[in-house]
Amino acid sequence: MGICYNKEERIFKLDSINSTYIIEIIDTEGFVGHVYYGKRLRDTNLGYLTRSQEYPFTPEKNNRERVSFLDNFPFEYSTHGVGDFREPCLKVKSEDGTSACQLCYKEHSIYKGKPELKGLPASFGSEEECTTLELICIDPYINLEVVLCYTIFEKLDVLTRSIRIRNKGAKPVYLERALSLCMEFEGINFDVISLHGSWARERHIQRRHVELGKYAIGSTRGESSHQEHPFMAIVSRETSQDKGNVYGFNLVYSGDFFAQVEGTQFENIRFVMGIHPENFQWKLSTGEEFVTPEVVSVFSDNGIDGMTHIYHDFYRKHLIRSKYKDKERPILINNWEATYFNFNTEKLLHIAEDASKLGIEMLVMDDGWFGKRNDDNCALGDWFVNEEKLKGGLKYLVQEVNKKGMKFGIWFEPEMISPDSDLYREHPDWAIQINGRKPALSRNQYVLDYSRKDVRDEIYQRIKDIMESAPIAYVKWDMNRALTDLGSNMLQADQQGELSHRYVLGVYELLERFTSEFPDVLLEGCSGGGARFDPGILYYCPQIWCSDDTDAIERLQIQEGTAMVYPLSTIGAHVSDCPNHAVGRSTPFETRGYVALTGTFGYELDVTRISDEDKQLIPKQVELYHTYNNLIRNGDYYRLLSYREEGQYDAWQVVSKDKSEALVFYIQVLKRPNYRSKVLKLKGLEEKFMYSIQGQERILSGGALMYAGIPIENMPHDFEGKLLHVVRV
Ligand code: DGJ
């Protein structure tokens, strides 16, 4: 396993337990070609697959048809301007205004472990866990060095890729696109799975056939977005939830992204992924280097569930750094849907009083505690406690909450500025804007220019002062609008195209500072719900608020899409009030609990005002959380039924790694009249083990539970749910 180089054949072979990736250097010019990615193979001599000598497209023997060759060869990293007319990854403009680039292999290095990516979040692994290949390529005409970096995680079937680009020439060049990954697939008989939505409808799964032509997803909003998601899977047509080949690609980045499958003239696929080129240009002066974010690629021949398990294990072990990633998180109650802006010390203490008696462990004070913020029209940036609302100050409030045996958490939106704020009145130039043009408002706010260090330093200091003024155990880091009017007062004209990426780098720098200085604080990412639920944020935050839609039924689809890639331990999920604030639907309190239990679990309601009946269920849910959170955090997640496809039922399951126990969640979304009970087939158990189901007398083998199934009794109403605990006997 690991990486080997066959010198005679000029072949690199990257192996993990179940996957092999092969690269070939061909021809005296050193074109770097993609040979194979898929199920593990022992052979190295597969270079014939690139068919680089197939007449008439042979650069060595028939240079006359060079363009035909360039437009057909499966490049490991595609470039623009010299004859490959498919989607380029790299487009470089020289000072004379021309743009062309052709990469040729120069040398390589192979070493144990994985380097950090400067200024960017990235996965990590020890020398025992992974091996890295760096392919150093050059374009001698413009003196550009491009390093293709591959790290193979041997035990997990994960391959990460990123690119380093260095200007070794005497003059600056301009990167007009610098994507992170190019991958060629033989044939076109594939489907593509991607995630789509909107505010309150994030990450719904979509599957479609790959056709000739291009199908692209992306964000140019400065955030990974509610609408599309930096994830794509390319799967064989016959691939199902548990069978078939799946190639997953996830970009570790929180800003503008682009991913595209292209069915080419020869009925192959070129897939590319990276920073969206639309708002991107980067001036690379002599000696400077640009590093692209990394793509985490996963191969599984065990269907979509197989890919999901690899991503979950990988992110739990090799991406999330917080000390909380392996810990049970305190059950929180957040006051947003309980009070919105209408709260004060007394109200919060009432909530804390009741919540603590029910077993809730932390009070989170959301938006509205600072400046003059009594609605969402003002005060972002004025990170000073509003003592008219919080009589006695923040420290007093936290102490009183602590006295009730609860921890305390707080909300910030550090990247924003309200036009009606003291900060804006003092520094109107700190907002992202194009000089002379009135910037567009969204939620009545502007975005701070985080490419500027002075802006970041001032905001950080304000947050730090609050953090040091009281024992704060948790922070929710929100971000509630997209970037528009891209202009910075500090960037030269030929660097304005850098703002979007520099903004993201600025956010990462601040998150790095915050997590280094406050490692004990539990940090939850958020972006108007789930507009920045991505691996970049997970590197800093062990959990992210998944959606502002807290309705249990809407959440089924949102959490299904999210959990296809991200561990359940990262999915911010709360039991909220009914009728639900987003959709006006009323669902049973138990069902809301089941859905939230498969995330971080917490409450978002006014506990002083809910019915006694609901209130009495809270201690039971708290107990379920404490009993099962270990299993939910660490186990393997399976999708059993999808409301999206079935229309009527939804079910999912978490199985412990040793297969000794499982939790089955079942929701009868719509009650069917005059119908027999639904037979549910479980997954992931050990065929030979015998299992009991809590509350039932029958003992059944794993095989019977998985292949024959168990009937789930009909429930009297819509939206009702059941939780089954299956234990090995
Ligand atoms: C958007 C978040 O998703 C909500 O949970 C809440 O924190 C609001 N922002 C506050 O403005």
Side-chain angles (χ1 to χ4, degrees), residues 236-293:
S236 313
R237 284 269 165 93
E238 65 280 5
T239 290
S240 64
Q241 203 63 31
D242 25 43
K243 286 193 194 74
N245 283 355
V246 181
Y247 302 85
F249 303 97
N250 199 193
L251 186 69
V252 185
Y253 192 61
S254 311
D256 295 353
F257 77 90
F258 176 71
Q260 181 180 277
V261 272
E262 175 181 6
T264 72
Q265 59 177 328
F266 297 113
E267 294 176 4
N268 289 331
I269 294 174
R270 168 171 287 176
F271 172 71
V272 297
M273 189 176 227
I275 295 178
H276 203 300
E278 193 161 297
N279 293 326
F280 176 83
Q281 179 178 286
W282 197 271
K283 180 179 182 182
L284 207 59
S285 297
T286 302
E288 280 180 356
E289 191 173 78
F290 182 82
V291 183
T292 74

Side-chain angles (χ1 to χ4, degrees), residues 162-350:
S162 70
I163 308 290
R164 286 203 312 270
I165 304 164
R166 183 182 286 276
N167 181 1
K168 295 193 144 182
K171 292 184 175 161
V173 294
Y174 295 87
L175 306 179
E176 294 193 318
R177 58 163 67 202
L179 304 188
S180 301
L181 170 137
C182 178
M183 183 91 74
E184 307 269 349
F185 289 79
E186 188 63 42
I188 201 171
N189 233 356
F190 290 89
D191 283 353
V192 53
I193 299 176
S194 44
L195 298 167
H196 301 260
S198 183
W199 173 78
R201 285 190 277 113
E202 295 91 338
R203 288 173 296 284
H204 288 199
I205 297 172
Q206 176 176 283
R207 179 168 176 163
R208 54 192 276 166
H209 289 344
V210 176
E211 311 272 2
L212 294 182
K214 296 177 174 180
Y215 167 59
I217 57 164
S219 163
T220 53
R221 297 166 190 265
E223 55 185 357
S224 44
S225 90
H226 295 102
Q227 287 73 11
E228 304 202 335
H229 196 72
F231 165 82
M232 248 200 199
I234 297 178
V235 307
S236 313
R237 284 269 165 93
E238 65 280 5
T239 290
S240 64
Q241 203 63 31
D242 25 43
K243 286 193 194 74
N245 283 355
V246 181
Y247 302 85
F249 303 97
N250 199 193
L251 186 69
V252 185
Y253 192 61
S254 311
D256 295 353
F257 77 90
F258 176 71
Q260 181 180 277
V261 272
E262 175 181 6
T264 72
Q265 59 177 328
F266 297 113
E267 294 176 4
N268 289 331
I269 294 174
R270 168 171 287 176
F271 172 71
V272 297
M273 189 176 227
I275 295 178
H276 203 300
E278 193 161 297
N279 293 326
F280 176 83
Q281 179 178 286
W282 197 271
K283 180 179 182 182
L284 207 59
S285 297
T286 302
E288 280 180 356
E289 191 173 78
F290 182 82
V291 183
T292 74
E294 82 175 5
V295 175
V296 175
S297 316
V298 158
F299 169 75
S300 167
D301 61 349
N302 289 319
I304 296 161
D305 283 343
M307 173 197 74
T308 295
H309 296 159
I310 298 174
Y311 272 120
H312 286 198
D313 286 345
F314 187 70
Y315 287 162
R316 285 186 289 217
K317 193 150 184 235
H318 297 287
L319 181 72
I320 305 167
R321 297 179 303 171
S322 162
K323 62 189 257 194
Y324 290 96
K325 69 173 171 178
D326 298 320
K327 287 195 181 149
E328 195 173 304
R329 323 278 158 81
I331 300 175
L332 64 82
I333 183 158
N334 177 306
N335 75 310
W336 180 241
E337 288 194 25
T339 65
Y340 295 101
F341 294 98
N342 187 17
F343 64 88
N344 55 24
T345 301
E346 202 187 347
K347 177 72 202 166
L348 292 176
L349 289 177
H350 270 147

Side-chain angles (χ1 to χ4, degrees), residues 670-712:
L670 290 178
K671 162 90 179 156
R672 307 180 87 177
N674 186 24
Y675 233 78
R676 303 189 74 197
S677 55
K678 176 87 184 160
V679 172
L680 188 64
K681 293 180 181 169
L682 307 193
K683 288 186 185 174
L685 302 173
E686 174 56 57
E687 268 179 43
K688 288 178 274 207
F689 291 175
M690 299 304 290
Y691 294 91
S692 71
I693 301 169
Q694 201 181 28
Q696 299 187 12
E697 280 179 9
R698 227 177 273 134
I699 305 273
L700 291 167
S701 68
L705 288 168
M706 292 193 290
Y707 312 134
I710 40 165
I712 309 284

Side-chain angles (χ1 to χ4, degrees), residues 445-512:
Q445 63 199 53
Y446 296 136
V447 185
L448 281 166
D449 182 354
Y450 263 30
S451 72
R452 292 175 57 160
K453 188 166 180 315
D454 56 343
V455 174
R456 298 197 304 267
D457 285 350
E458 175 62 28
I459 298 297
Y460 186 73
Q461 192 54 49
R462 292 182 180 197
I463 292 175
K464 187 174 163 186
D465 289 346
I466 294 286
M467 294 303 295
E468 287 175 348
S469 70
I472 296 171
Y474 160 108
V475 163
K476 178 173 171 188
W477 182 302
D478 204 350
M479 190 270 193
N480 281 304
R481 68 156 285 179
L483 276 61
T484 60
D485 304 276
L486 290 171
S488 166
N489 285 302
M490 296 302 269
L491 291 170
Q492 299 298 316
D494 65 350
Q495 290 191 285
Q496 289 291 344
E498 299 175 14
L499 180 57
S500 231
H501 183 54
R502 283 189 185 275
Y503 173 81
V504 179
L505 294 179
V507 172
Y508 289 152
E509 192 253 358
L510 221 62
L511 282 164
E512 184 68 41

Side-chain angles (χ1 to χ4, degrees), residues 1-4 13-16 40 112 131 152 154:
M1 280 207 291
I3 300 180
C4 65
K13 186 162 178 282
L14 291 69
D15 285 319
S16 65
R40 175 100 187 258
K112 290 268 163 213
T131 311
I152 186 93
E154 284 126 43

